[in-house]
Amino acid sequence: MSKNYGDYNAEDFLRDERFRRWVASDGREEAVFWEDFKMRHPEKSGELTLARSLWASLNSLQEMPAPNVRERIWQHVGEATQDVTDTDDQRPARPLYRWWLAAAAILIIGGLAWTFYTTFREEPLVYRDQVAVAPVSLDEKINTTQKEQTITLADGSTVLLKPGSKLSYSGFSDSERVVYLDGEGYFDVAKNPSKPFIVYAGRIVVQVVGTSFRVSSNTGNVKSRVAVSSGKVKVFAAGKKGRAEEPVFLTPNQQVVFDAQAHVFAKSLVAQPVQVGGTGEPKEFDFTNTSVNAVLHTIETAYGVTIRHDNAAFASCNLTAPLGDMPMFRKLDIICQTIGATYEVFGTEIVISGGSCDL
């Protein structure tokens, strides 16, 4: 008989064998099914997230609950099973195995609730927990439309909020400007060196003074991402267990992905670097009989990237190429094809190797 998962809540999902196979193994067949289910039933996103969080908490349990928690659980067991010993002759006693099933069910539910509580008590790793412990009253904006929405904050900063995303914020009356994000938003922060701007985004925290950047961190997702357009950004992990010894610093056209499961930051260039501000007028990139070293230096300066290559090897190489407004990596493709070289991206650096001056 087919199951109507559209009527399920978090508890139902936890009891479902197919759901447990998915969260336990992430097999491709089950992943395809559940991804399709989430697209068809977006209203179940919260229930699925809660069910997965409870499952993860149960499987990472390393210590037993406090004695008072055990006592309360057994009290509920006693209340739920007292009719086993009821002397009412009008009602037959339940078989003994049902008593054990009732006890086991309550212990499992109690264990799940306890694990979920202890997992998030000191580490507010998801949006709803972070908002709940905020020291000030917050306003919340939820983008329920199909288009991006612009939110203007009290200090003049703006946030371009993606559909389905949430942002909680205050009037910034304290020494810091703090907001809380679940989903994706593009931030354009007004400069105020005496008042840092801080974004709590699930498993990461982003701190800046004045800059523009994009944050993507959805509740329930293992990975979070920050990409910088201008200025400088500091990113670190939220919660004691996930906090890195040193924060990750990002400059324009750099991004970092944080894997909360492995507690690892992976820093790299964004997929489509853009010209950065503060480097003078936008470059035209039309080169006529220009040395390759000078061409590469122009690209480095315009995009704020590091390109490593052998200066001596290209000292006598000249290049004529109208590169115009092509994307940065397309420019490098044409340059390397012309001089017979190749390039690779290692983290935030581009390394060019090979090539000749037979132009």
Side-chain angles (χ1 to χ4, degrees):
M1 182 177 67
S2 61
K3 299 179 180 180
N4 187 4
Y5 288 112
D7 293 335
Y8 274 35
N9 58 25
E11 186 179 343
D12 296 326
F13 285 124
L14 275 174
R15 289 197 298 258
D16 184 75
E17 182 179 354
R18 186 166 196 175
F19 174 84
R20 293 199 301 269
R21 285 203 308 268
W22 174 45
V23 296
S25 65
D26 281 334
R28 177 170 177 78
E29 179 181 348
E30 298 299 345
V32 170
F33 173 83
W34 288 104
E35 288 300 324
D36 179 67
F37 173 78
K38 286 191 291 184
M39 290 183 65
R40 289 185 289 107
H41 296 277
E43 75 280 0
K44 290 298 175 181
S45 176
E47 297 292 343
L48 283 170
T49 296
L50 178 58
R52 294 198 68 165
S53 297
L54 290 172
W55 173 270
S57 297
L58 181 64
N59 282 274
S60 62
L61 181 60
Q62 294 180 346
E63 54 182 305
M64 293 299 293
N68 63 325
V69 176
R70 292 198 298 269
E71 290 169 5
R72 290 199 299 271
I73 292 174
W74 280 112
Q75 180 182 350
H76 290 306
V77 171
E79 293 171 354
T81 59
Q82 63 182 1
D83 61 329
V84 173
T85 58
D86 201 314
T87 58
D88 187 352
D89 294 335
Q90 302 302 314
R91 181 177 58 195
R94 296 179 185 174
L96 184 60
Y97 79 90
R98 291 191 179 181
W99 188 95
W100 282 110
L101 285 177
I106 294 176
L107 282 173
I108 290 173
I109 294 173
L112 284 171
W114 176 82
T115 358
F116 187 73
Y117 169 72
T118 54
T119 299
F120 294 108
R121 179 181 55 191
E122 295 184 354
E123 294 183 79
L125 298 183
V126 292
Y127 171 82
R128 63 179 176 273
D129 298 305
Q130 292 170 336
V131 170
V133 298
V136 297
S137 177
L138 301 171
D139 294 323
E140 183 181 62
K141 178 65 177 179
I142 303 176
N143 186 354
T144 58
T145 73
Q146 300 299 314
K147 298 180 180 179
E148 293 181 327
Q149 288 186 342
T150 300
I151 301 172
T152 302
L153 304 177
D155 65 337
S157 299
T158 59
V159 183
L160 193 61
L161 199 62
K162 283 276 191 178
S165 300
K166 306 174 185 177
L167 185 76
S168 287
Y169 53 94
S170 67
F172 302 147
S173 58
D174 297 323
S175 60
E176 295 177 332
R177 299 173 287 172
V178 179
V179 301
Y180 302 85
L181 173 72
D182 179 30
E184 184 173 344
Y186 181 82
F187 292 78
D188 193 350
V189 178
K191 287 188 177 181
N192 187 344
S194 64
K195 213 171 187 180
F197 191 98
I198 298 174
V199 181
Y200 284 88
R203 293 166 173 82
I204 57 174
V205 181
V206 185
Q207 181 175 334
V208 301
V209 171
T211 185
S212 55
F213 57 95
R214 183 175 296 278
V215 180
S216 178
S217 182
N218 293 81
T219 291
N221 287 357
V222 172
K223 295 183 179 181
S224 305
R225 184 175 68 92
V226 178
V228 177
S229 299
S230 66
K232 191 174 184 179
V233 166
K234 178 169 66 174
V235 184
F236 52 93
K240 295 178 181 178
K241 293 182 181 179
R243 186 179 297 278
E245 293 183 2
E246 296 292 338
V248 174
F249 290 93
L250 301 176
T251 54
N253 289 323
Q254 293 182 351
Q255 67 178 3
V256 68
V257 174
F258 176 64
D259 187 324
Q261 191 171 34
H263 300 303
V264 172
F265 285 99
K267 189 175 174 182
S268 63
L269 292 177
V270 298
Q272 293 291 345
V274 297
Q275 291 194 55
V276 299
T279 58
E281 294 296 322
K283 304 297 182 183
E284 295 297 331
F285 301 105
D286 289 332
F287 302 104
T288 302
N289 200 30
T290 307
S291 73
V292 172
N293 287 338
V295 171
L296 295 176
H297 178 70
T298 299
I299 293 175
E300 279 187 306
T301 304
Y303 291 94
V305 298
T306 299
I307 302 177
R308 299 197 179 279
H309 61 285
D310 188 344
N311 284 302
F314 298 144
S316 59
C317 291
N318 291 333
L319 179 71
T320 296
L323 301 179
D325 58 357
M326 296 178 183
M328 187 196 77
F329 286 118
R330 182 54 182 156
K331 290 181 174 69
L332 292 177
D333 288 336
I334 292 175
I335 292 170
C336 288
Q337 289 171 8
T338 303
I339 64 177
T342 59
Y343 74 87
E344 292 183 84
V345 180
F346 295 94
T348 58
E349 295 186 344
I350 301 168
V351 178
I352 295 179
S353 56
S356 65
C357 291
D358 300 329
L359 304 179

